[in-house]
Amino acid sequence: MPDHTKAEASVDVKEGADAEPYFSMGADTLKIPLAMHRDHRQKLAEAMLAKKLAPEGTVIFFRGGDLRSVYDSDTDWDFKQESYFQYLFGVKEPGCLATIQLDSSAPYMHKSTLYIPRFDEIYATWMGPIKPKSWFQSKYLVDEVQYADEIDLSDAKATMEIDGINRDSGIPHSEVNKGLINLPHKLDGSALWDVLNELRSVKDEQEIKIMEYACQVSSSAHLSTMRACYKDQDNEHRMEYNAVANFRYEGAMRGCERVGYGCIGCSGTSNASLHYGHPAEPNDKSVHKSDLRLLDMGAEYHCYTADVTCTFPTSGKFTELQKEAYESVLAAVHAVEGILRPGLDYREMHRKATRVIAEELTKRLGLFTAPIDAVCSEALVSRYLMPHGLGHMLGLDCHDVGGYEPGHFKDKDDVSLTGLRLGRVIKEGFVLTVEPGCYFNPYLIDKWCSHPIHSKMVNEAVLRSLIPVGGIRIEDDVLITRDGCRVLNDIPRSVEDIEAYMQGRIDWIPGKGKVPVA
Amino acid sequence: MPDHTKAEASVDVKEGADAEPYFSMGADTLKIPLAMHRDHRQKLAEAMLAKKLAPEGTVIFFRGGDLRSVYDSDTDWDFKQESYFQYLFGVKEPGCLATIQLDSSAPYMHKSTLYIPRFDEIYATWMGPIKPKSWFQSKYLVDEVQYADEIDLSDAKATMEIDGINRDSGIPHSEVNKGLINLPHKLDGSALWDVLNELRSVKDEQEIKIMEYACQVSSSAHLSTMRACYKDQDNEHRMEYNAVANFRYEGAMRGCERVGYGCIGCSGTSNASLHYGHPAEPNDKSVHKSDLRLLDMGAEYHCYTADVTCTFPTSGKFTELQKEAYESVLAAVHAVEGILRPGLDYREMHRKATRVIAEELTKRLGLFTAPIDAVCSEALVSRYLMPHGLGHMLGLDCHDVGGYEPGHFKDKDDVSLTGLRLGRVIKEGFVLTVEPGCYFNPYLIDKWCSHPIHSKMVNEAVLRSLIPVGGIRIEDDVLITRDGCRVLNDIPRSVEDIEAYMQGRIDWIPGKGKVPVA
């Protein structure tokens, strides 16, 4: 249609044929070469061919995310690209499909085709200029672009699509792809799933830069939020969600409009609900000056997310009890980050963290009355105080893939590993969270104190005195390096630094740390 | 289970049995008595019985919204309650079902049952205290509460559920309810759909207060954003999404974390894309000082949304061309709002607005070379300059239900009513938008100038000179009163007031309007 041609001609392709196409949200944000995604496709093709998991010529089919209506209305839910699709193609437009055909003789060991939605001319009025196929081809560095309604894989000698069940949600990936198109001569896709999860687990140089950016933006936003809470400490009308609004503003101003998971903006006793901040508990409690805040929020960029938790006193000054509990958790952070390196089993790190917490709470507050070995063998910390895992993989998903090696699963019977989403020997290039915590949840405390054996191993008076503290979590995003690890976020963590920063006695710049007040 | 009992006992029911239960996001936000929703149920029951649309005893089934996973991951998309469910029950918790049994002898002419999700004890650790049935009963003023897994309507002599196709999305409501439970002796639900849409169209006293609140918060947020844009006019790195971040922050600080539709945060030439600000065009253009901003953003409270558009110059000073175009659109606002009252047909208002725009652009800039009657009979404004409707119903959905009377539909063949979502005689209690606009979209301009007849009715040089202006929209949210109308938002609209406010020569307080600088 002539009208279509006109619309196509008006496209402003920001990156010419010579320039390196990139993703960016503007001048002050990170530029990401989109060639990164072609590298990911090459890695996948290499692995599939080298391990003989699929024959030459196999066409692997991927479905990108699409817009979904809010019930029967004409508005859409928030959009994020599907994570495997993002990893391999980095396409921000909804409604795309793609194929990778394995070909060891091709430049990148594969031939890629992107299938884009075909828009009616009304798109040019309502949504913006209709971008031609050539725009998508040069932007996303694929070999070919077709319209999604033209897709025809009937000539393929072998096809494949991802087949696996997400370990954290229990949702089969096939539900994402459900009944979309007919794939002839379809091969089993479970090995593809394993290969992709292992590839996504080890971040490459560009991905590390993205994670650094998401963590830096998140650090700045947390820092700003700490000061905002302090400044407003005497406002009796202050609500938990005000801190969330502050964080999201700071992130959005730097191109991170989305967060990788629902913001957890607790205060005081709500700190004890691990995933507070959902629709039934929308961070809507008013904040008291004496409350500890527990803020678990992470900015997302190019679909990669940070996941950072800060715990600090609204008043800028810890009480004695808050301080002892906080420093018990911080000791666990130091114990783990001090030794974290490739080759260690994260299950051991989890057990180490819970032991340190038990030791510290006993040394400082006399919490446990039984010997620490007995406390640990009964897994009391995992049962009652830290009923979640020490950490998880982090990347395109908040609870990212790769937490267990292919074919391995959570040991549900081992209470000492309660909720642990990362149970394997760790490798260089992993990005994972270290997030020990300690919560004083009345429900779990009642359960504990009514247990015939466990109730005798704790000083109940001390335990109940901790209920108003609510809970503490300290969460870092950590890159595993060749011989150790590097924390990607940068926020005051010691009691002294938190108090000094909040009260304005020092400043803090992510990447530089503590600096004198300007 | 004993564990469950304990969790239930720990629930803090904020509102006691004597107190009036309400929804609120805190001290500085609006308190909404939840009895409003019982009134809505009563109105529905009365209408169904009075019009004999269902026999006594009929059980009407409703499905509330539920959380949906982001693909196969364990995070959820943003949540909003389903609109019919919200209207009738006002329940913020996901995963509920409900029934209304028609009963003319009952206190509110019906008996209501809410079906809530049954949570495992792990909920008390991760999500918060498990609220007992009694909490839901006293909070939401229903006659009975059961667990959703207990629902059994097999004894019902007649059942019904909503059946209709959303006029704006084209999505059948049955897709929302798809295959959930077996409804015995099911009656046709299309009359129910019509009755509910008509009820939702006429806002009651409480709903008007909510709409006023959403509009007031949106006005304050727009005002703050106008100043922020002005203050930052010389920043070459300023991106369109920075204004969106500012608006969302101001809304979120007052309990409106959600917006009712994707924020449209255009600048300059992107103003010409009516629904800019979607995933493929995420408000990511850098803003030039000379750009007109077109910001279409509305805060949502208790699921009711505002929908307000401001157009203003980044620099705080309109150019001559921007001013003439802006005042042409403003004249259409005044022409419509000056006469809007019950009994008028909104289709006539739409035609009036397009005529005024044609007249003004010709008087001020000499745009049309043909007589205005000919311009109107060829619908040139609707075809090329304002390719959307003058306004739409507003409420729980942005494009709210009730835009056409039951059994009536858009006249797709009448080009002069292009895109009009509200085509009926209006009534007292309607809340609707008045949003004339004028856009200089290169795609449409090319189409216009190559049309054998229409091209001869316009001064092409003048038309093309307007392309850099991009586009203008002025959108008010208007309550239809007994003998006129009342604009619920309050923002400077004249060129003089916009410039004076942006430059800090006057202040503006929603509800009070223009005030001297403090």
Side-chain angles (χ1 to χ4, degrees):
Chain A
M1 286 189 301
D3 289 332
H4 256 290
T5 315
K6 282 212 186 296
E8 294 194 1
S10 72
V11 167
D12 167 33
V13 180
K14 289 170 197 167
E15 298 81 32
D18 296 334
E20 170 107 320
Y22 59 85
F23 171 86
S24 149
M25 289 298 282
D28 292 335
T29 66
L30 184 68
K31 280 175 83 161
I32 303 163
L34 290 167
M36 176 183 83
H37 301 288
R38 188 178 53 197
D39 292 345
H40 293 171
R41 295 195 294 272
Q42 178 172 3
K43 281 184 203 167
L44 174 64
E46 275 173 2
M48 294 300 287
L49 289 168
K51 294 180 185 167
K52 299 195 190 305
L53 299 172
E56 282 275 353
T58 300
V59 175
I60 309 178
F61 172 77
F62 299 93
R63 179 182 184 171
D66 207 352
L67 295 173
R68 293 174 191 213
S69 296
V70 177
Y71 311 110
D72 60 358
S73 81
D74 68 345
T75 52
D76 297 310
W77 297 112
D78 183 23
F79 178 73
K80 177 181 181 171
Q81 185 54 278
E82 196 278 327
S83 295
Y84 293 105
F85 203 82
Q86 179 72 10
Y87 178 75
L88 294 169
F89 298 95
V91 170
K92 73 177 176 185
E93 288 79 7
C96 294
L97 311 172
T99 54
I100 291 176
Q101 182 163 27
L102 303 180
D103 180 353
S104 54
S105 66
Y108 300 97
M109 301 193 76
H110 73 282
K111 178 176 172 277
S112 55
T113 307
L114 183 66
Y115 300 87
I116 60 172
R118 189 197 302 269
F119 294 117
D120 192 78
E121 65 165 328
I122 203 164
Y123 187 98
T125 300
W126 286 83
M127 309 303 270
I130 297 175
K131 293 161 186 152
K133 288 180 183 177
S134 58
W135 184 90
F136 284 90
Q137 190 166 354
S138 58
K139 178 90 180 177
Y140 295 117
L141 302 169
V142 290
D143 297 298
E144 197 182 339
V145 175
Q146 294 183 24
Y147 288 113
D149 57 16
E150 291 170 343
I151 189 166
D152 178 7
L153 306 180
S154 58
D155 283 347
K157 281 178 288 181
T159 63
M160 191 180 273
E161 62 183 331
I162 300 174
D163 187 10
I165 296 172
N166 185 290
R167 290 174 192 272
D168 292 298
S169 67
I171 300 173
H173 190 78
S174 56
E175 289 196 1
V176 175
N177 262 321
K178 203 159 47 184
L180 192 73
I181 63 160
N182 181 39
L183 295 177
H185 311 294
K186 194 172 151 184
L187 306 174
D188 175 40
S190 51
L192 171 65
W193 189 68
D194 285 332
V195 167
L196 271 171
N197 291 345
E198 291 302 293
L199 286 175
R200 280 176 56 185
S201 301
V202 179
K203 270 66 180 175
D204 60 30
E205 201 182 329
Q206 282 300 336
E207 287 180 296
I208 291 169
K209 283 186 188 164
I210 306 173
M211 296 300 293
E212 283 171 339
Y213 184 74
C215 288
Q216 192 202 53
V217 170
S218 300
S219 298
S220 300
H222 272 292
L223 284 161
S224 157
T225 305
M226 289 168 74
R227 281 266 173 91
C229 290
Y230 176 76
K231 200 172 156 189
D232 213 35
Q233 61 178 292
D234 292 317
N235 179 356
E236 293 288 323
H237 291 176
R238 180 58 33 148
M239 304 293 288
E240 291 172 331
Y241 59 74
N242 295 127
V244 175
N246 194 97
F247 180 91
R248 293 206 62 162
Y249 170 76
E250 296 290 343
M253 288 296 281
R254 296 180 64 189
C256 302
E257 198 197 3
R258 271 186 52 89
V259 283
Y261 54 98
C263 291
I264 301 173
C266 319
S267 65
T269 52
S270 53
N271 295 6
S273 298
L274 308 180
H275 277 180
Y276 190 77
H278 51 92
E281 306 282 357
N283 299 313
D284 64 344
K285 200 156 72 70
S286 62
V287 180
H288 294 277
K289 185 173 174 169
S290 60
D291 285 340
L292 265 193
R293 300 302 309 267
L294 188 165
L295 303 181
D296 183 348
M297 312 188 283
E300 185 182 288
Y301 192 74
H302 198 49
C303 298
Y304 287 79
T305 188
D307 180 0
V308 175
T309 309
C310 300
T311 303
F312 59 88
T314 304
S315 65
K317 177 81 188 150
F318 286 86
T319 65
E320 267 311 300
L321 204 56
Q322 287 170 349
K323 176 175 179 290
E324 298 300 346
Y326 181 88
E327 290 186 334
S328 298
V329 177
L330 188 61
V333 174
H334 291 154
V336 171
E337 292 178 359
I339 60 171
L340 207 53
R341 65 179 187 280
L344 285 180
D345 189 320
Y346 209 64
R347 285 168 287 212
E348 291 313 310
M349 297 298 97
H350 176 93
R351 290 201 183 93
K352 181 173 197 69
T354 55
R355 171 177 278 268
V356 169
I357 289 170
E359 285 169 349
E360 292 286 329
L361 288 172
T362 302
K363 188 177 78 185
R364 293 163 183 270
L365 297 167
L367 182 68
F368 289 100
T369 52
I372 293 300
D373 280 345
V375 168
C376 291
S377 73
E378 286 294 322
L380 297 190
V381 172
S382 289
R383 283 178 200 272
Y384 303 115
L385 290 176
M386 180 179 134
H388 64 70
L390 174 65
H392 51 80
M393 300 293 281
L394 187 66
L396 287 163
D397 290 335
C398 172
H399 295 155
D400 208 24
V401 295
Y404 285 78
E405 287 184 61
H408 290 73
F409 297 90
K410 256 185 214 175
D411 182 351
K412 286 183 181 164
D413 297 329
D414 187 342
V415 182
S416 73
L417 300 177
T418 297
L420 186 61
R421 300 177 196 276
L422 170 50
R424 64 184 291 178
V425 172
I426 59 177
K427 295 184 189 175
E428 182 182 352
F430 279 15
V431 175
L432 48 83
T433 67
V434 175
E435 49 173 315
C438 187
Y439 313 89
F440 307 103
N441 181 324
Y443 169 75
L444 290 175
I445 287 175
D446 285 348
K447 199 172 162 181
W448 188 353
C449 295
S450 60
H451 189 284
I453 298 162
H454 301 161
S455 61
K456 297 191 172 61
M457 302 171 79
V458 65
N459 182 325
E460 184 172 342
V462 171
L463 182 60
R464 291 199 183 274
S465 75
L466 284 158
I467 289 177
V469 173
I472 289 145
R473 180 162 62 254
I474 303 170
E475 181 178 25
D476 283 337
D477 298 345
V478 179
L479 168 70
I480 307 301
T481 56
R482 194 189 308 182
D483 52 5
C485 71
R486 181 157 61 87
V487 178
L488 301 181
N489 49 278
D490 187 6
I491 301 165
R493 290 303 198 189
S494 73
V495 163
E496 296 69 30
D497 284 346
I498 290 171
E499 293 185 351
Y501 172 75
M502 290 183 73
Q503 294 168 18
R505 290 184 278 114
I506 57 168
D507 270 342
W508 203 278
I509 297 173
K512 290 188 185 171
K514 193 188 313 191
V515 292
V517 176
Chain B
M1 285 189 299
D3 289 333
H4 256 291
T5 315
K6 283 213 186 295
E8 294 193 359
S10 71
V11 167
D12 166 33
V13 181
K14 289 170 198 167
E15 299 81 32
D18 294 334
E20 169 107 321
Y22 59 84
F23 170 86
S24 149
M25 289 298 282
D28 292 335
T29 66
L30 183 68
K31 280 176 81 161
I32 303 163
L34 289 167
M36 174 183 86
H37 301 288
R38 188 177 55 198
D39 293 344
H40 293 169
R41 296 195 293 273
Q42 179 172 3
K43 280 184 202 164
L44 174 64
E46 275 173 2
M48 295 300 289
L49 289 168
K51 295 180 184 167
K52 299 194 190 304
L53 299 173
E56 282 275 353
T58 299
V59 175
I60 310 179
F61 172 77
F62 300 93
R63 178 182 184 173
D66 207 351
L67 295 173
R68 293 173 193 215
S69 297
V70 177
Y71 311 108
D72 61 358
S73 81
D74 68 345
T75 52
D76 298 310
W77 297 111
D78 183 24
F79 178 74
K80 177 180 183 172
Q81 184 54 279
E82 194 280 327
S83 295
Y84 293 104
F85 203 83
Q86 179 71 8
Y87 179 76
L88 294 168
F89 298 94
V91 170
K92 74 177 173 186
E93 287 79 8
C96 294
L97 311 172
T99 55
I100 291 176
Q101 182 163 27
L102 303 178
D103 180 353
S104 55
S105 66
Y108 300 97
M109 303 195 73
H110 74 281
K111 178 175 172 276
S112 54
T113 306
L114 183 66
Y115 300 86
I116 61 173
R118 191 197 301 270
F119 294 118
D120 193 77
E121 65 166 329
I122 202 163
Y123 187 98
T125 299
W126 286 83
M127 309 302 270
I130 297 174
K131 293 161 185 152
K133 288 180 183 177
S134 58
W135 184 91
F136 284 90
Q137 190 165 355
S138 58
K139 178 89 182 179
Y140 295 117
L141 301 168
V142 290
D143 297 298
E144 198 182 337
V145 175
Q146 294 183 25
Y147 289 112
D149 58 17
E150 291 171 342
I151 190 166
D152 177 8
L153 306 180
S154 58
D155 283 347
K157 281 179 289 182
T159 61
M160 190 178 273
E161 63 183 330
I162 300 173
D163 186 12
I165 296 172
N166 186 291
R167 289 174 193 274
D168 292 298
S169 67
I171 300 173
H173 190 77
S174 56
E175 289 197 2
V176 176
N177 263 320
K178 202 160 47 181
L180 192 70
I181 64 162
N182 181 37
L183 295 177
H185 310 294
K186 192 172 153 184
L187 306 173
D188 175 41
S190 52
L192 170 65
W193 188 69
D194 284 334
V195 167
L196 271 170
N197 291 344
E198 290 302 293
L199 286 174
R200 280 175 57 183
S201 301
V202 179
K203 270 68 179 175
D204 60 31
E205 202 181 329
Q206 282 300 336
E207 287 180 296
I208 291 168
K209 283 186 187 164
I210 306 172
M211 296 300 293
E212 284 171 340
Y213 183 74
C215 287
Q216 194 201 52
V217 170
S218 300
S219 299
S220 300
H222 272 292
L223 283 162
S224 157
T225 305
M226 287 167 75
R227 281 267 173 90
C229 290
Y230 176 76
K231 202 173 153 189
D232 213 35
Q233 60 179 291
D234 292 317
N235 180 355
E236 292 288 324
H237 291 176
R238 180 57 34 148
M239 304 294 288
E240 291 173 329
Y241 59 74
N242 294 127
V244 175
N246 194 94
F247 180 92
R248 293 207 63 163
Y249 171 77
E250 296 290 342
M253 288 297 281
R254 298 180 64 189
C256 302
E257 198 198 2
R258 271 186 53 89
V259 283
Y261 54 99
C263 291
I264 301 172
C266 319
S267 64
T269 51
S270 54
N271 295 5
S273 298
L274 308 179
H275 277 182
Y276 191 76
H278 51 91
E281 305 283 357
N283 300 312
D284 64 344
K285 199 157 70 74
S286 62
V287 180
H288 294 276
K289 185 174 175 170
S290 60
D291 284 341
L292 266 193
R293 301 301 308 265
L294 187 164
L295 304 181
D296 183 349
M297 313 188 282
E300 184 183 287
Y301 192 74
H302 199 49
C303 298
Y304 288 80
T305 189
D307 181 359
V308 176
T309 308
C310 299
T311 303
F312 58 89
T314 305
S315 65
K317 177 79 186 152
F318 286 85
T319 65
E320 267 311 299
L321 204 57
Q322 287 170 347
K323 176 174 178 290
E324 298 300 344
Y326 181 88
E327 290 186 334
S328 299
V329 177
L330 188 61
V333 174
H334 291 154
V336 171
E337 291 176 0
I339 60 171
L340 207 53
R341 63 179 188 280
L344 285 181
D345 189 320
Y346 209 64
R347 285 168 287 211
E348 291 313 312
M349 296 298 97
H350 176 93
R351 289 200 184 93
K352 183 173 195 71
T354 54
R355 171 176 278 270
V356 169
I357 288 170
E359 286 169 349
E360 293 287 329
L361 288 172
T362 301
K363 190 177 78 186
R364 292 163 183 270
L365 298 167
L367 183 68
F368 289 101
T369 52
I372 293 298
D373 280 344
V375 168
C376 291
S377 74
E378 286 293 323
L380 297 191
V381 172
S382 288
R383 283 178 200 271
Y384 303 115
L385 290 177
M386 180 179 132
H388 63 71
L390 174 65
H392 52 80
M393 300 293 281
L394 187 66
L396 287 163
D397 290 333
C398 173
H399 296 153
D400 208 25
V401 295
Y404 284 78
E405 287 185 64
H408 290 73
F409 296 89
K410 256 185 215 176
D411 181 353
K412 286 184 183 167
D413 296 330
D414 187 341
V415 182
S416 73
L417 300 177
T418 298
L420 186 61
R421 302 177 195 276
L422 170 49
R424 64 185 292 178
V425 172
I426 58 177
K427 295 184 187 174
E428 182 182 352
F430 279 16
V431 175
L432 48 82
T433 66
V434 174
E435 49 173 315
C438 187
Y439 312 88
F440 308 103
N441 181 324
Y443 168 76
L444 290 174
I445 287 176
D446 284 347
K447 198 172 164 181
W448 189 354
C449 294
S450 60
H451 189 283
I453 299 163
H454 301 161
S455 61
K456 300 193 170 58
M457 302 171 79
V458 64
N459 182 326
E460 185 174 339
V462 171
L463 181 59
R464 292 200 182 272
S465 75
L466 284 158
I467 289 176
V469 172
I472 289 145
R473 179 160 63 252
I474 303 171
E475 180 177 26
D476 282 337
D477 297 344
V478 179
L479 169 70
I480 306 302
T481 57
R482 194 189 307 181
D483 52 6
C485 71
R486 179 157 63 85
V487 178
L488 302 181
N489 48 280
D490 187 6
I491 301 165
R493 290 305 200 187
S494 73
V495 163
E496 296 70 30
D497 283 347
I498 289 171
E499 292 185 350
Y501 172 74
M502 289 184 73
Q503 295 167 17
R505 290 184 280 114
I506 58 169
D507 269 343
W508 202 277
I509 298 173
K512 291 188 184 171
K514 193 187 313 190
V515 293
V517 176

